[in-house]
Amino acid sequence: MNGLYTPMAAAMSNEPRPEGDRIAKLLARAGVASRREIERMIADKRIKIGDELVTTPATFLTSLKGVTVDGKPVSKPERTRLFAFHKPTGQLTAERDFSGRPTIYDALRNALPKDTPRLMPVGRLDMNTEGLLLMTNDGEFKRQMELPSSEIPRTYRARTFGDITQEQLETLIEGVEIEGMRYDRIDANLERSAGANKWIELTLTEGKNREVRRVLEHFGLEVSRLIRTAYGPFHLADLPRGAAEEIRKEDIERFRSSLKDPRK
């Protein structure tokens, strides 16, 4: 039987917290949406347990039996799956865009097998950034991979225009503050140069919004191309632009077991 539990109910009854997890965590693990999206669904009164409306994400359950979203029963969680997608430029990392701009899901319709479950992006790439975008059906795994505390390295290659030296780039190993925003350590290396045109490789673990572009622009560089080549142990390699491939179950399990537990 589902154990329905809320903090208010606990305070009134003095009952200990039962076994189970928050409904947002369980629904994320089942691939319904990310935790944040599920919290919005709850606020919009879209989730029920039986006939009872869920009013808080801090509802603890032992299973998803009887849970519905928009009146539809939630399926049992599938095994965690992870795909590597070579995102082209000109696509939003979003499910839909009300102004009609193309999204990654437009490309994924043709890149994925027909029986692929609903996938969520791990982190984001802005519209003009290309390269490796990981996609998973497991919202809890997505969250774990995005947490700064997991310290997962992301590697980018940037084509820039302007003057920069390796010595200047090495100052980023101590981090940098730009317009009040602090960016943690970045390992940056000048790959090759042809006059004012340069390729720079950067590895970081935070992944703040437009971090690579802002840091390079801070040095007076103009970024004309930005490619994410790796996320943790997963690499873009020679995956064609617009294509996707599934990552082996053994590789997912090996990677997941290496991640830090965010509760510790």
Side-chain angles (χ1 to χ4, degrees), residues 14-253:
N14 293 319
E15 291 181 1
R17 177 193 183 281
E19 293 183 1
D21 290 299
R22 289 175 182 248
I23 190 171
K25 180 177 180 179
L26 290 174
L27 288 172
R29 189 180 297 155
V32 171
S34 68
R35 281 197 190 187
R36 188 172 298 175
E37 290 168 338
I38 290 163
E39 289 170 3
R40 285 196 288 265
M41 289 177 177
I42 291 172
D44 292 339
K45 302 179 179 180
R46 296 171 57 189
I47 301 176
K48 289 184 177 181
I49 303 171
D51 295 326
E52 184 177 352
L53 197 66
V54 177
T55 58
T56 171
T59 299
F60 283 74
L61 301 176
T62 55
S63 78
L64 289 173
K65 184 177 180 180
V67 177
T68 58
V69 178
D70 297 330
K72 298 177 181 178
V74 177
S75 302
K76 290 182 179 180
E78 291 191 28
R79 69 172 177 86
T80 298
R81 296 175 70 180
L82 187 66
F83 291 78
F85 171 56
H86 187 161
K87 176 194 173 294
T89 56
Q91 293 179 353
L92 287 174
T93 306
E95 193 155 358
R96 63 183 65 87
D97 181 64
F98 295 108
S99 61
R101 292 175 295 179
T103 74
I104 57 170
Y105 289 93
D106 297 323
L108 285 168
R109 287 190 192 99
N110 298 319
L112 295 169
K114 298 299 181 187
D115 62 346
T116 304
R118 179 184 181 275
L119 298 177
M120 297 165 278
V122 177
R124 291 179 177 269
L125 292 177
D126 65 43
M127 193 164 189
N128 295 317
T129 301
E130 60 190 287
L132 180 63
L133 183 62
L134 297 177
M135 307 286 298
T136 183
N137 65 326
D138 186 332
E140 188 62 20
F141 187 36
K142 163 185 163 71
R143 175 178 174 272
Q144 191 177 16
M145 291 182 71
E146 291 174 342
L147 284 172
S149 59
S150 294
E151 298 182 353
I152 300 172
R154 294 99 155 164
T155 300
Y156 297 79
R157 293 184 70 236
R159 185 174 65 193
T160 66
F161 180 82
D163 293 323
I164 188 81
T165 65
Q166 180 61 38
E167 287 72 25
Q168 287 175 290
L169 290 173
E170 285 174 2
T171 63
L172 293 173
I173 207 70
E174 303 296 334
V176 63
E177 184 170 317
I178 302 172
E179 297 179 353
M181 176 66 74
R182 179 71 187 176
Y183 298 99
D184 282 347
R185 59 175 289 153
I186 298 173
D187 184 5
N189 293 285
L190 192 58
E191 284 191 335
R192 62 177 186 268
S193 177
N197 291 294
K198 297 174 175 62
W199 279 98
I200 300 171
E201 183 182 73
L202 306 97
T203 299
L204 52 119
T205 58
E206 272 193 308
K208 288 178 177 169
N209 185 37
R210 296 179 61 83
E211 179 170 351
V212 174
R213 292 182 186 275
R214 286 178 175 170
V215 167
L216 294 177
E217 288 166 1
H218 174 67
F219 284 113
L221 299 173
E222 179 183 335
V223 179
S224 59
R225 191 177 178 191
L226 184 59
I227 310 164
R228 182 155 68 196
T229 59
Y231 198 113
F234 309 112
H235 294 261
L236 184 64
D238 56 359
L239 184 64
R241 191 175 302 170
E245 64 180 13
E246 186 162 8
I247 292 168
R248 296 186 312 165
K249 179 182 177 182
E250 313 88 85
D251 294 334
I252 297 172
E253 291 174 349

Side-chain angles (χ1 to χ4, degrees), residues 2-14:
N2 251 332
L4 180 60
Y5 170 95
T6 66
M8 184 175 292
M12 293 177 65
S13 65
N14 293 319

